[in-house]
Amino acid sequence: MQVLQKLQEKCCSNRSYPAMYSSIVGGIILDPAMMVIPMDDHMVHRGHGVFDTAMIMDGWLYELDAHLDRFLRSAANARIIHPPVLSNNSSSSSSSSNSIREKDKEKEKLRSILVQMTAASGCRKGSIRYWLSSGPGDFLLSSSGCSPSPAFYAVVIASDYEQCRDEGVKAVTTAVPMKPPLFATTKNVNYLPNVLSIMDAEDRGAFASVWVDEQGFVAEGPMVNVAFVTPQRELVLPVFDNILAGCTAKRMLALATNNNIILSVPGGVSNRKITADEARGCVEMAFVGSGLPVLPVVEWDGQPVGDGKVGPVMRALSDLLWEDMKSGPDRIPVPYYI
């Protein structure tokens, strides 16, 4: 009882997390003091887990299906299969059609849980974040001793985030090593390189850092993709071969392709390799990510990007994505009942 009282005293001042789902308890938790994960969960002490996120905008979940698709791909890469909410489903069928149906059921059930959790939270603006771990069981390296099925956790994060379009930020190139392709393209909980690179940026007075690979090509930021506008008015995002394919970045590419005339990018829209040397000669630059959705970069490694001011293309792209978040087709309504 004293432990619970201490936890409630510590958590009562923070109402940023109005709801959590845990497959360990099999339901939605509204008391922040009870939003816990077992210490022997392999995601905690071995990093064997994946996660993803989706934004809440005006009571709608934005691009949840796209994020869930990536979530399940990441889980497969991490060899974490069959979420616990579907543990009774048969996994013995080897036909591709049955496999596809099972994945559709997984996605549908996870979506339902996340929508119900968001509804229970009453939160109408913020984000949800959700994890699939190999589960609790022991403190060994192998996950073979974990419980019969993985563990699924999710949380609602209330945040009155705003569109980032008018004031640019600074970026720096980081010396923190990049993740190998398998780990970079799988959205997993091993974020130490990301943490160190963002700390590196903050130490140098920048918003975030940029990774450049060994061949001299621009990769990504620690939590964002990077976009450029060349002097030839081509919008370029680095190819996703060895970096995370951002859902917001992919959506931006689609919107930009359909609006390239409006955006004044007659050079077209490309998802290709771009060297750091070419990128430094670009007239506009931005970070692209779920909560931004487009954040212009006006200085990189102490040098101005273009004229050192927020450019019209990135400002217009920010408007396109923000409007898509508010009224676009890839939204799921949340039936609030509290």
Side-chain angles (χ1 to χ4, degrees), residues 45-228:
H45 62 85
R46 297 300 180 190
H48 194 185
V50 299
F51 80 101
D52 220 301
T53 186
M55 304 306 292
I56 309 169
M57 172 65 86
D58 299 335
W60 296 67
L61 284 165
Y62 179 64
E63 285 212 304
L64 178 58
D65 283 339
H67 285 276
L68 280 175
D69 287 337
R70 184 174 65 181
F71 180 65
L72 292 173
R73 288 195 300 270
S74 294
N77 289 344
R79 298 179 63 179
I80 305 173
I81 58 174
H82 301 298
V85 293
L86 297 173
S87 57
N88 292 327
N89 286 351
S90 172
S91 60
S92 60
S93 174
S94 59
S95 74
S96 60
S97 60
N98 283 341
S99 178
I100 292 172
R101 283 197 293 270
E102 289 301 314
K103 287 189 177 298
D104 288 342
K105 289 180 182 178
E106 289 179 0
K107 180 178 172 182
E108 181 180 346
K109 183 63 177 178
L110 292 175
R111 184 201 298 117
S112 176
I113 289 173
L114 294 173
V115 169
Q116 290 179 60
M117 177 192 67
T118 307
S121 75
C123 177
R124 300 185 61 85
K125 196 171 185 181
S127 63
I128 59 172
R129 191 165 296 175
Y130 40 96
W131 297 261
L132 189 62
S133 90
S134 53
D138 55 39
F139 288 94
L140 301 179
L141 186 61
S142 170
S143 60
S144 60
C146 293
S147 57
S149 62
F152 179 65
Y153 310 103
V155 68
V156 177
I157 305 169
S159 176
D160 190 23
Y161 61 91
E162 298 293 340
Q163 183 181 7
C164 305
R165 73 186 288 275
D166 295 320
E167 294 188 15
V169 298
K170 298 178 181 179
V172 292
T173 303
T174 185
V176 175
M178 286 180 59
K179 297 178 184 179
L182 173 62
F183 301 115
T185 57
T186 300
K187 197 169 178 67
N188 62 87
V189 299
N190 296 294
Y191 256 46
L192 184 57
N194 308 63
V195 170
L196 293 177
S197 65
I198 200 75
M199 292 177 71
D200 177 30
E202 291 172 347
D203 289 344
R204 296 156 65 186
F207 173 81
S209 56
V210 176
W211 272 302
V212 175
D213 68 21
E214 293 179 351
Q215 287 74 45
F217 293 106
V218 177
E220 60 183 340
M223 54 186 178
V224 288
N225 291 103
V226 193
F228 301 93

Side-chain angles (χ1 to χ4, degrees), residues 1-15 31-34:
M1 182 63 71
Q2 289 181 338
V3 172
L4 179 59
Q5 183 179 353
K6 288 289 186 181
L7 287 172
Q8 289 174 333
E9 289 173 358
K10 181 176 180 62
C11 298
C12 68
S13 61
N14 188 348
R15 296 299 178 184
D31 183 352
M34 303 303 293

